[in-house]
Amino acid sequence: MGATAQIIQMILILVVFFVVMYFMSIRPQKKYEEKQRAMREALKVGDSIKTTNGFYGVVLGIENDVVIVEFGNDRHCRIPMDINCIEEVDQPDTEE
């Protein structure tokens, strides 16, 4: 009976460990990915963005997974980039 109790205790410890790991690492990561996906789907022309490298710009065009972004005050610095490189979106206020 002692060996069976130890095996059950070990299995119970492993199950608790995996449940804790799920709620501490896997679940928050999935929530973050879902939030990022929704943000990218709502992206539209004219939105101010921040890239993963820390550059700020304005979206000029969207084609599939490529976004044309204008950086800086120069207005001549237009760069196509992957939509997955967008970290944050600041949509302009539309007060009429």
Side-chain angles (χ1 to χ4, degrees):
M1 245 216 204
T4 305
Q6 287 180 348
I7 291 174
I8 291 173
Q9 183 180 11
M10 181 62 79
I11 291 173
L12 187 62
I13 289 171
L14 287 173
V15 167
V16 169
F17 174 75
F18 285 115
V19 168
V20 168
M21 288 303 295
Y22 174 78
F23 282 105
M24 291 186 71
S25 63
I26 297 172
R27 187 167 178 240
Q29 181 66 26
K30 288 191 182 222
K31 279 187 171 184
Y32 174 77
E33 289 171 359
E34 179 65 26
K35 180 181 150 193
Q36 289 293 96
R37 186 189 61 75
M39 182 248 335
R40 289 181 184 122
E41 286 178 355
L43 186 66
K44 59 187 180 291
V45 174
D47 289 347
S48 296
I49 63 163
K50 177 183 172 188
T51 66
T52 54
N53 291 330
F55 293 113
Y56 292 89
V58 177
V59 175
L60 295 180
I62 304 170
E63 297 178 15
N64 299 330
D65 289 342
V66 177
V67 179
I68 307 296
V69 182
E70 182 176 64
F71 294 100
N73 296 331
D74 188 9
R75 304 290 184 222
H76 296 291
C77 184
R78 297 176 177 165
I79 299 174
M81 60 187 309
D82 186 20
I83 197 166
N84 294 320
C85 294
I86 297 173
E87 185 175 303
E88 294 177 12
V89 175
D90 183 26
Q91 298 169 336
D93 295 330
T94 53
E95 296 179 15
E96 296 180 20

